Coordinates of all heavy atoms in Angstrom, one line a residue:
Chain A
E1188 N 105.9 -81.7 -46.2 CA 107.3 -81.6 -45.9 C 108.0 -81.2 -47.2 O 107.9 -81.9 -48.2 CB 107.9 -82.9 -45.4 CG 107.5 -83.3 -44.0 CD 108.1 -84.6 -43.6 OE1 109.4 -84.7 -43.6 OE2 107.4 -85.5 -43.3
P1189 N 108.8 -80.1 -47.2 CA 109.4 -79.6 -48.4 C 110.6 -80.3 -49.0 O 111.1 -80.0 -50.1 CB 109.7 -78.2 -48.1 CG 110.0 -78.2 -46.6 CD 109.2 -79.3 -46.0
D1190 N 111.2 -81.2 -48.2 CA 112.5 -81.7 -48.5 C 112.4 -83.1 -49.1 O 113.4 -83.9 -49.1 CB 113.5 -81.7 -47.3 CG 112.9 -82.4 -46.1 OD1 111.7 -82.7 -46.2 OD2 113.7 -82.7 -45.2
K1191 N 111.2 -83.5 -49.6 CA 111.0 -84.8 -50.2 C 111.0 -84.6 -51.7 O 111.0 -83.5 -52.2 CB 109.7 -85.4 -49.7 CG 109.6 -85.5 -48.2 CD 110.6 -86.4 -47.6 CE 110.5 -86.5 -46.0 NZ 111.5 -87.4 -45.4
F1192 N 110.8 -85.8 -52.4 CA 110.7 -85.7 -53.9 C 109.5 -86.3 -54.5 O 109.0 -87.4 -54.0 CB 112.0 -86.4 -54.5 CG 113.2 -85.6 -54.2 CD1 114.1 -86.1 -53.2 CD2 113.5 -84.4 -54.9 CE1 115.3 -85.4 -52.9 CE2 114.7 -83.7 -54.6 CZ 115.6 -84.2 -53.6
V1193 N 109.0 -85.7 -55.5 CA 107.9 -86.3 -56.3 C 108.4 -86.7 -57.7 O 109.3 -86.0 -58.2 CB 106.8 -85.2 -56.5 CG1 105.6 -85.8 -57.3 CG2 106.3 -84.7 -55.1
Y1194 N 108.0 -87.8 -58.2 CA 108.5 -88.3 -59.4 C 107.4 -88.4 -60.4 O 106.3 -89.0 -60.2 CB 109.1 -89.8 -59.2 CG 110.2 -89.8 -58.2 CD1 109.8 -89.9 -56.8 CD2 111.5 -89.7 -58.5 CE1 110.8 -89.9 -55.8 CE2 112.5 -89.7 -57.6 CZ 112.2 -89.9 -56.2 OH 113.1 -89.9 -55.3
L1195 N 107.6 -87.7 -61.6 CA 106.5 -87.6 -62.6 C 107.1 -88.3 -63.9 O 108.2 -87.9 -64.3 CB 106.1 -86.1 -62.9 CG 105.2 -85.9 -64.1 CD1 103.9 -86.5 -63.9 CD2 105.1 -84.3 -64.3
T1196 N 106.4 -89.2 -64.4 CA 106.8 -89.9 -65.6 C 105.6 -89.7 -66.6 O 104.5 -90.0 -66.3 CB 107.1 -91.4 -65.4 OG1 108.1 -91.5 -64.4 CG2 107.5 -92.1 -66.7
I1197 N 106.0 -89.3 -67.8 CA 105.0 -89.1 -68.9 C 105.5 -89.9 -70.1 O 106.6 -89.7 -70.5 CB 104.7 -87.7 -69.2 CG1 104.2 -86.9 -68.0 CG2 103.7 -87.6 -70.4 CD1 104.1 -85.4 -68.2
E1198 N 104.7 -90.8 -70.6 CA 105.1 -91.7 -71.7 C 104.0 -91.7 -72.7 O 102.8 -91.8 -72.3 CB 105.4 -93.1 -71.1 CG 106.0 -94.1 -72.0 CD 106.2 -95.4 -71.3 OE1 106.3 -95.4 -70.1 OE2 106.1 -96.4 -72.0
H1199 N 104.3 -91.6 -74.0 CA 103.2 -91.7 -75.0 C 103.8 -92.3 -76.2 O 104.9 -92.3 -76.6 CB 102.6 -90.4 -75.2 CG 103.4 -89.4 -76.0 ND1 103.6 -89.4 -77.3 CD2 104.2 -88.4 -75.5 CE1 104.4 -88.4 -77.7 NE2 104.8 -87.8 -76.6
N1200 N 102.8 -92.9 -77.0 CA 103.0 -93.3 -78.4 C 101.8 -92.8 -79.1 O 101.1 -92.0 -78.6 CB 103.3 -94.8 -78.5 CG 102.2 -95.6 -77.8 OD1 101.0 -95.2 -77.8 ND2 102.5 -96.8 -77.4
L1201 N 101.5 -93.4 -80.2 CA 100.4 -92.9 -81.0 C 99.0 -93.2 -80.3 O 98.0 -92.5 -80.5 CB 100.4 -93.5 -82.4 CG 99.5 -92.9 -83.5 CD1 99.7 -91.4 -83.6 CD2 99.6 -93.6 -84.8
E1202 N 99.0 -94.4 -79.6 CA 97.7 -94.8 -79.1 C 97.4 -94.3 -77.7 O 96.3 -94.1 -77.3 CB 97.7 -96.4 -79.0 CG 97.5 -97.0 -80.4 CD 98.8 -97.1 -81.1 OE1 99.9 -97.3 -80.5 OE2 98.8 -97.0 -82.4
T1203 N 98.5 -94.3 -76.8 CA 98.2 -94.0 -75.4 C 99.1 -92.9 -74.8 O 100.3 -92.8 -75.2 CB 98.3 -95.3 -74.5 OG1 99.6 -95.8 -74.7 CG2 97.3 -96.3 -74.9
L1204 N 98.6 -92.3 -73.8 CA 99.4 -91.3 -73.0 C 99.3 -91.8 -71.6 O 98.2 -92.0 -71.0 CB 98.8 -89.9 -73.1 CG 99.4 -88.9 -72.2 CD1 100.8 -88.5 -72.5 CD2 98.5 -87.6 -72.3
K1205 N 100.5 -92.1 -71.0 CA 100.5 -92.7 -69.6 C 101.2 -91.6 -68.7 O 102.3 -91.1 -69.1 CB 101.3 -94.0 -69.6 CG 101.3 -94.6 -68.2 CD 102.3 -95.8 -68.1 CE 101.8 -97.0 -68.8 NZ 102.7 -98.2 -68.5
I1206 N 100.6 -91.3 -67.6 CA 101.1 -90.4 -66.6 C 101.3 -91.2 -65.3 O 100.3 -91.8 -64.8 CB 100.2 -89.2 -66.4 CG1 99.9 -88.5 -67.7 CG2 100.8 -88.2 -65.4 CD1 98.8 -87.4 -67.7
I1207 N 102.5 -91.1 -64.8 CA 102.7 -91.8 -63.5 C 103.2 -90.8 -62.5 O 104.2 -90.0 -62.8 CB 103.8 -92.9 -63.6 CG1 103.3 -94.0 -64.6 CG2 104.0 -93.6 -62.3 CD1 104.4 -95.0 -65.0
V1208 N 102.6 -90.7 -61.4 CA 103.0 -89.7 -60.3 C 103.3 -90.6 -59.1 O 102.5 -91.3 -58.6 CB 102.0 -88.7 -60.0 CG1 102.4 -87.8 -58.8 CG2 101.7 -87.8 -61.2
R1209 N 104.5 -90.5 -58.6 CA 105.0 -91.4 -57.5 C 105.6 -90.6 -56.3 O 106.2 -89.5 -56.6 CB 106.0 -92.4 -58.0 CG 106.6 -93.3 -57.0 CD 107.4 -94.4 -57.6 NE 108.6 -93.9 -58.2 CZ 109.8 -93.7 -57.5 NH1 109.8 -94.1 -56.2 NH2 110.9 -93.3 -58.0
D1210 N 105.2 -91.0 -55.1 CA 105.9 -90.4 -54.0 C 106.4 -91.5 -53.1 O 106.0 -92.7 -53.2 CB 105.0 -89.4 -53.2 CG 103.8 -90.1 -52.5 OD1 104.1 -90.9 -51.6 OD2 102.7 -89.9 -52.9
E1211 N 107.3 -91.2 -52.1 CA 107.8 -92.1 -51.2 C 107.4 -91.7 -49.8 O 108.2 -91.8 -48.8 CB 109.4 -92.2 -51.3 CG 109.8 -92.7 -52.7 CD 111.3 -92.5 -53.0 OE1 111.9 -91.5 -52.5 OE2 111.8 -93.2 -53.9
G1212 N 106.1 -91.3 -49.7 CA 105.6 -90.8 -48.5 C 104.9 -91.8 -47.6 O 105.2 -93.0 -47.6
C1213 N 103.9 -91.3 -46.9 CA 103.2 -92.2 -45.9 C 102.3 -93.3 -46.4 O 102.0 -94.2 -45.7 CB 102.4 -91.3 -44.9 SG 101.0 -90.5 -45.7
G1214 N 102.0 -93.2 -47.7 CA 101.1 -94.2 -48.3 C 99.6 -94.0 -47.9 O 99.3 -93.2 -47.0
I1215 N 98.8 -94.8 -48.5 CA 97.3 -94.7 -48.2 C 96.9 -96.0 -47.6 O 97.1 -97.1 -48.2 CB 96.5 -94.4 -49.5 CG1 97.0 -93.2 -50.2 CG2 95.0 -94.3 -49.2 CD1 96.5 -93.0 -51.6
A1216 N 96.3 -96.0 -46.4 CA 96.0 -97.2 -45.7 C 94.8 -97.9 -46.3 O 94.7 -99.1 -46.5 CB 95.7 -96.9 -44.2

Side-chain angles (χ1 to χ4, degrees):
Chain A
E1188 283 183 62
D1190 56 346
K1191 307 293 183 183
F1192 292 104
V1193 179
Y1194 303 84
L1195 171 64
T1196 303
I1197 301 171
E1198 186 182 334
H1199 71 82
N1200 54 28
L1201 192 57
E1202 285 84 32
T1203 59
L1204 171 68
K1205 185 192 281 187
I1206 302 169
I1207 302 169
V1208 177
R1209 181 170 68 84
D1210 67 66
E1211 294 166 338
C1213 67
I1215 304 169

